């Protein structure tokens, strides 16, 4: 098929009676659409605009300790075509407020709505009117380099599957730098993450998260990576833990029967494999025995290693003798 024959076929299709009617309909439809749009855009409307606001001309020795960008909501009244231009144009992309115009000597600055409105009017055409602006002020905080290092801890709900537990938490980095007023620096000894919510996992969980925002505090960095290592819970027992007498008077020694006992506990498999009897401390208190002398004395689990829970003694009372520790010459 030649180009000439193709063009002939197209002309025949386009200029049939039915095709002419369709083309005529589409022409008047488009014309009415343009007419309607011009009428609509010529009407007066009100529209809310979210406008980013930044503090500009910050001195080199000053550090903003609040968010670098805040947002105001301004309701503007004008013809539709003007509002469309604001929406897609550059006039309302960002407001920049000079640092020195709104600072005080206490490490904070306040930009009232009246000032925001004044700067905003400089961006608008004369026919536009601002009918509302929120909030009624913007606050920012700064200092001149005061900072300190603090550790990071996670916050929220992190629960692995049944029979598993979080055996260790690793932070990258494990501490961050905070910039704030001296008063806040003195009161802050730790920074927490945003609220985490993870459940029903069994393998190591890696989370990239932001730090919780604190008013007037800048964190560097503002996000970290956390790894939650898991282990399998197991109920175990360790035997031959010696019983030790405490508060014994000089020259006296406590002998218990048995001299050693067992401790039951719940721990991760990896923790259990590394445990020794010496990691636990079981005591009998001479002061208690002296106040309430009986045939048996109470024993207590004084110290347990980290990483175990629900530790309990096999028995809570044992027979005993108090003997002299002096040796014959």
């Amino acid at each position: 098929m030649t180009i000439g024959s193709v063009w002939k076929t197209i002309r025949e299709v386009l200029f049939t009676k039915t095709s002419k009617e369709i083309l005529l309909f589409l022409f008047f439809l488009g014309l009415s659409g343009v007419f309607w749009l011009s009428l609509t855009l010529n009407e007066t409307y009100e529209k809310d605009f979210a406008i980013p606001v930044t503090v500009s001309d910050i001195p080199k020795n000053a550090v903003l300790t609040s968010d670098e960008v805040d947002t105001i909501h301004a309701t503007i009244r004008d013809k539709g075509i003007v509002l469309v231009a604001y929406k897609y144009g550059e006039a309302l992309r960002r407001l920049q407020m000079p640092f020195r115009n709104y600072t005080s000597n206490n490490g904070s600055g306040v930009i009232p709505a009246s000032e925001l409105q004044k700067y905003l009017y400089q961006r608008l055409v004369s026919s536009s009117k601002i009918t509302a602006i929120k909030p009624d002020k913007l606050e920012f905080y700064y200092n001149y380099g005061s900072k300190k290092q603090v550790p990071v801890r996670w916050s929220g709900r992190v629960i692995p599957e049944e029979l598993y537990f979080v055996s260790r938490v690793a932070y990258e980095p494990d501490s961050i730098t905070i910039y704030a007023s001296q008063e806040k620096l003195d009161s802050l000894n730790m920074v927490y993450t945003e609220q985490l919510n993870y459940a029903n996992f069994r393998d190591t969980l890696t989370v990239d998260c932001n730090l919780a925002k604190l008013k007037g505090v800048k964190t560097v960095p503002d996000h970290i990576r956390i790894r939650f290592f898991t282990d399998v819970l197991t109920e175990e027992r360790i035997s031959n833990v010696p019983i030790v007498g405490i508060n014994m008077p000089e020259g006296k020694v406590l002998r218990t029967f048995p001299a050693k006992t067992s401790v039951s506990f719940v721990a991760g498999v990896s923790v259990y494999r590394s445990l020794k009897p010496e990691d636990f401390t079981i005591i009998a208190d001479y002061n208690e025995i002296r106040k309430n002398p009986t045939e048996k004395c109470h024993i207590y689990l004084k110290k347990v290693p980290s990483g175990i829970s629900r530790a309990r003694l096999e028995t809570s009372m044992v027979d005993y003798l108090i003997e002299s520790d002096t040796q014959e010459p």
Side-chain angles (χ1 to χ4, degrees):
M1 183 179 290
T2 64
I3 295 176
S5 61
V6 171
W7 174 244
K8 182 180 179 181
T9 302
I10 293 173
R11 278 193 307 171
E12 289 175 352
V13 172
L14 288 177
F15 292 100
T16 63
K17 183 178 179 180
T18 304
S19 298
K20 288 179 179 178
E21 291 175 353
I22 293 174
L23 291 173
L24 191 61
F25 170 77
L26 292 176
F27 171 75
F28 282 107
L29 179 65
L31 188 63
S32 62
V34 171
F35 181 70
W36 172 84
L37 183 62
S38 63
L39 288 177
T40 300
L41 293 179
N42 202 43
E43 293 290 330
T44 299
Y45 300 93
E46 286 189 355
K47 181 172 177 56
D48 182 72
F49 291 89
I51 306 169
V53 179
T54 60
V55 178
S56 63
D57 302 325
I58 302 171
K60 292 183 178 180
N61 62 337
V63 178
L64 276 185
T65 58
S66 52
D67 290 338
E68 294 181 359
V69 180
D70 215 327
T71 302
I72 61 169
H73 291 267
T75 303
I76 301 174
R77 177 188 297 163
D78 208 329
K79 293 186 181 298
I81 192 168
V82 177
L83 298 179
V84 169
Y86 289 153
K87 180 175 177 60
Y88 297 104
E90 297 294 325
L92 304 183
R93 289 297 182 198
R94 186 182 298 268
L95 283 182
Q96 293 185 326
M97 310 301 290
F99 175 86
R100 294 190 182 278
N101 291 7
Y102 306 103
T103 55
S104 56
N105 295 323
N106 61 355
S108 66
V110 177
I111 308 173
S114 58
E115 286 291 300
L116 293 166
Q117 184 168 293
K118 182 180 74 174
Y119 273 81
L120 189 54
Y121 265 126
Q122 295 174 8
R123 305 288 189 90
L124 305 179
V125 298
S126 58
S127 60
S128 297
K129 180 176 178 56
I130 301 171
T131 59
I133 189 166
K134 296 179 181 179
D136 58 359
K137 65 180 177 180
L138 293 182
E139 294 180 295
F140 62 92
Y141 299 87
Y142 65 95
N143 71 13
Y144 291 101
S146 298
K147 61 182 180 179
K148 79 173 184 180
Q149 289 279 121
V150 293
V152 179
R153 292 294 180 267
W154 69 274
S155 176
R157 177 178 174 271
V158 179
I159 304 174
E161 285 185 5
E162 190 177 1
L163 302 181
Y164 285 78
F165 77 110
V166 176
S167 60
R168 184 167 65 89
V169 181
Y171 300 87
E172 299 176 14
D174 61 0
S175 62
I176 54 99
T177 302
I178 59 173
Y179 294 83
S181 65
Q182 194 58 52
E183 181 181 359
K184 283 187 178 291
L185 291 178
D186 292 340
S187 65
L188 287 173
N189 296 311
M190 191 176 299
V191 171
Y192 289 92
T193 66
E194 62 185 2
Q195 290 291 306
L196 305 180
N197 187 17
Y198 295 92
N200 299 322
F201 61 93
R202 62 172 61 183
D203 298 323
T204 299
L205 173 67
T206 301
V207 179
D208 292 311
C209 62
N210 295 323
L211 299 176
K213 290 187 178 298
L214 299 171
K215 187 176 182 180
V217 179
K218 180 178 182 178
T219 58
V220 180
D222 60 1
H223 62 279
I224 64 169
R225 172 170 292 180
I226 308 177
R227 286 189 171 91
F228 296 92
F229 296 90
T230 59
D231 199 354
V232 180
L233 280 173
T234 180
E235 188 166 0
E236 298 291 348
R237 186 176 76 162
I238 194 162
S239 304
N240 298 319
V241 180
I243 301 170
V244 180
I246 64 170
N247 297 318
M248 299 300 297
E250 187 176 355
K252 297 290 184 179
V253 63
L254 175 70
R255 301 192 188 281
T256 62
F257 305 95
K260 300 178 180 181
T261 189
S262 300
V263 180
S264 299
F265 53 87
V266 174
V269 172
S270 59
V271 172
Y272 170 69
R273 289 171 180 164
S274 65
L275 291 177
K276 305 182 295 295
E278 295 78 17
D279 296 327
F280 299 82
T281 300
I282 301 174
I283 63 164
D285 190 345
Y286 175 80
N287 290 338
E288 181 181 313
I289 296 171
R290 181 172 56 84
K291 290 179 181 178
N292 300 289
T294 58
E295 293 183 355
K296 293 180 179 290
C297 68
H298 287 277
I299 59 174
Y300 303 95
L301 188 57
K302 183 70 172 178
K303 186 191 79 170
V304 297
S306 60
I308 72 170
S309 62
R310 301 202 292 272
R312 62 188 185 278
L313 293 170
E314 186 178 55
T315 181
S316 62
M317 299 187 74
V318 294
D319 295 320
Y320 71 95
L321 285 176
I322 297 175
E323 298 180 342
S324 174
D325 194 32
T326 56
Q327 298 182 356
E328 295 292 335

